[in-house]
Amino acid sequence: MNSLIEVKNLIYEIRGYKVMLDSDLAELYEVQTFRLNEAVKRNIERFPSHYMFQLTKDEYKLLTSQIAISKKGRGGRRTMPYVFTEQGVAMLSSVLNSARAIQINIKIIDTFVQMRQWALDNKELTKRVADIENYLMNYAKDNNKEIEKIYEAIDLLMDRTKPRKIGFNVDEK
């Protein structure tokens, strides 16, 4: 994993948390997923529910529709995946003591921090865009009423200024 952008693509929002899948983390750490989960389970007291939780079947289905995860029977998972929040990823560094785990954790934490900073930096911009949208919605409503009045006036003028039939009226007998 060379880039923070690549790590960012492995972060999902589930239950209001930004999380990473156990399988993605295992791949980054270059260990098997069951080994990562095994190390976590041996140190489960370090992983409260806001650090790590297991996906429900519905959450997993939603996630598999968004990303490519292999299906059961084709080398896929037999249990629902675990996901780790930023704090859970940080805690993984105390469970996985390899040099690679330390490097990867630094990249992942940096990515979470950058994402949070971007959100804070753009909070004002987001608010201003929402204010402009609200203003335009209200302004457009007022304009629509005025435009309707103009169309009614035009229709009235068109009725009054319709040309009358010109010419002779010949009745054939």
Side-chain angles (χ1 to χ4, degrees):
M1 195 64 36
N2 296 331
S3 165
L4 293 178
I5 294 170
E6 293 173 12
V7 171
K8 183 180 176 187
N9 293 336
L10 300 176
I11 298 173
Y12 306 98
E13 186 159 340
I14 300 174
R15 299 184 198 174
Y17 293 102
K18 297 223 183 303
V19 298
M20 294 186 72
L21 285 167
D22 56 359
S23 56
D24 290 338
L25 289 164
E27 187 176 329
L28 291 171
Y29 296 136
E30 296 178 349
V31 299
Q32 294 175 318
T33 304
F34 80 94
R35 292 285 180 219
L36 178 121
N37 288 330
E38 189 177 71
V40 168
K41 288 175 185 174
R42 281 195 306 261
N43 296 280
I44 198 65
E45 68 280 356
R46 294 176 187 248
F47 296 92
S49 62
H50 61 285
Y51 281 25
M52 177 197 79
F53 54 89
Q54 193 169 24
L55 296 181
T56 65
K57 286 182 182 181
D58 289 337
E59 290 167 334
Y60 185 64
K61 282 181 187 176
L62 182 62
L63 194 60
T64 56
S65 70
Q66 295 173 17
I67 61 173
I69 295 178
S70 62
K71 295 182 176 161
K72 189 175 180 181
R74 298 186 198 159
R77 300 189 71 113
R78 287 164 189 68
T79 61
M80 292 297 106
Y82 288 93
V83 292
F84 295 82
T85 64
E86 179 180 356
Q87 294 81 8
V89 170
M91 191 58 73
L92 279 173
S93 65
S94 67
V95 173
L96 304 170
N97 293 322
S98 71
R100 175 130 181 106
I102 292 168
Q103 286 179 321
I104 295 300
N105 271 22
I106 290 170
K107 286 183 180 182
I108 293 169
I109 298 301
D110 285 348
T111 302
F112 274 109
V113 169
Q114 285 180 350
M115 289 173 65
R116 190 171 35 256
Q117 188 59 48
W118 185 88
L120 289 172
D121 290 347
N122 290 293
K123 192 174 186 177
E124 177 63 27
L125 179 61
T126 302
K127 183 187 179 320
R128 290 183 71 193
V129 168
D131 289 345
I132 290 170
E133 285 176 345
N134 288 335
Y135 173 78
L136 289 175
M137 293 298 284
N138 291 331
Y139 184 70
K141 285 180 187 175
D142 293 342
N143 277 346
N144 284 343
K145 290 176 189 173
E146 296 300 319
I147 291 170
E148 282 180 32
K149 288 180 185 177
I150 292 170
Y151 281 131
E152 287 173 16
I154 290 172
D155 287 343
L156 189 64
L157 284 172
M158 293 296 286
D159 284 343
R160 288 187 184 164
T161 58
K162 276 186 184 173
R164 296 182 190 188
K165 291 184 181 178
I166 301 174
F168 298 101
N169 194 3
V170 178
D171 290 330
E172 291 189 32
K173 294 183 184 181

